[in-house]
Amino acid sequence: MTAIAGKHLTLEEYFKYDDRTDSQYELVAGELVAIQPESPKNVQISLFLLVNFLKFVPVNRLSNKVEIIVAGSRATIRILDLVVLTDELATILEGATRSTITLDMPPPALVVEVVSPGKAHEDRDYRYKRSEYAARGIAEYWIVDPQMNRITVLILADGFYEETRFAGNAAIASTIVPELQLTAEQVFKAEESNADDAIS
């Protein structure tokens, strides 16, 4: 993540911003922050989770790289790695020209973030997004951390997240997708399992 010096934008300016590159940006407290490309491992993990969620969640309720405006004194927009929409939110976003969840829309049901290496990324996913997503009313938030080989599932209760950590062969428990049968080990070995499936 790299902040662009001197670039403090309103929501409207952010939506119109175009530097004529393929770069992606989040808006954090009005500041334009460049998002670095994901590592191949993180991409594989996101795709593995997407494929497994699709077994139980209709395709129109699943998406990646959706933007969400979160509460704050200055405008903040996060780009979500993977999101499960509610039926109501999926209906609202149908036919939209931009995949942006605005403050007047209901929150998504579940958000997954895959942590990139480095303290700045850890702080973003474990600290800042945790408080932002709780304030936004997102019922379930997964922090998938390949560096720690651990998945933290946060369930919203009375405005705050209660966390459970899953590692190894422990089955991940989700209130939003209770049918999901995955372990942390399966998620972090996503590349190997995909390769094995292709060979067999």
Side-chain angles (χ1 to χ4, degrees):
M1 296 182 303
T2 307
I4 309 299
K7 294 283 185 185
H8 284 80
L9 306 180
T10 64
L11 287 175
E12 293 75 19
E13 289 169 335
Y14 170 80
F15 291 137
K16 292 176 184 174
Y17 184 79
D18 182 4
D19 63 0
R20 303 187 188 283
T21 72
D22 292 331
S23 299
Q24 271 196 316
Y25 298 94
E26 286 185 336
L27 193 64
V28 181
E31 189 173 6
L32 205 58
V33 177
I35 302 299
Q36 304 303 317
E38 295 282 359
S39 70
K41 183 176 180 67
N42 281 21
V43 171
Q44 286 292 327
I45 288 169
S46 293
L47 288 173
F48 179 81
L49 288 170
L50 178 64
V51 167
N52 280 278
F53 276 117
L54 276 170
K55 295 173 183 176
F56 308 105
V57 180
V59 67
N60 70 314
R61 287 187 51 210
L62 270 173
S63 191
N64 58 0
K65 302 309 177 187
V66 169
E67 299 173 317
I68 185 167
I69 301 172
V70 291
S73 55
R74 281 187 163 181
T76 297
I77 295 180
R78 298 296 189 183
I79 299 173
L80 311 174
D81 286 338
L82 182 62
V83 60
V84 178
L85 308 172
T86 61
D87 285 329
E88 182 185 4
L89 184 54
T91 300
I92 291 169
L93 288 173
E94 278 178 14
T97 56
R98 186 174 180 132
S99 294
T100 304
I101 301 169
T102 58
L103 288 173
D104 60 344
M105 295 180 186
L110 186 154
V111 165
V112 177
E113 299 286 10
V114 183
V115 184
S116 295
K119 187 176 185 309
H121 295 287
E122 290 173 18
D123 287 347
R124 181 183 62 167
D125 291 335
Y126 280 100
R127 294 178 57 200
Y128 306 127
K129 288 184 179 180
R130 178 177 179 143
S131 59
E132 291 166 358
Y133 294 171
R136 190 65 178 81
I138 297 170
E140 188 167 317
Y141 170 34
W142 289 26
I143 305 172
V144 180
D145 192 335
Q147 287 68 243
M148 301 292 290
N149 283 330
R150 182 179 68 202
I151 295 171
T152 304
V153 175
L154 302 153
I155 307 295
L156 196 63
D158 299 322
F160 296 94
Y161 280 129
E162 295 178 355
E163 73 173 55
T164 307
R165 293 179 174 179
F166 300 93
N169 288 315
I172 302 164
S174 169
T175 59
I176 302 301
V177 192
E179 311 91 340
L180 196 66
Q181 295 183 336
L182 280 179
T183 66
E185 186 175 35
Q186 287 173 308
V187 172
F188 295 120
K189 290 187 174 178
E191 293 168 291
E192 294 171 30
S193 62
N194 289 345
D196 292 344
D197 292 344
I199 292 167
S200 59

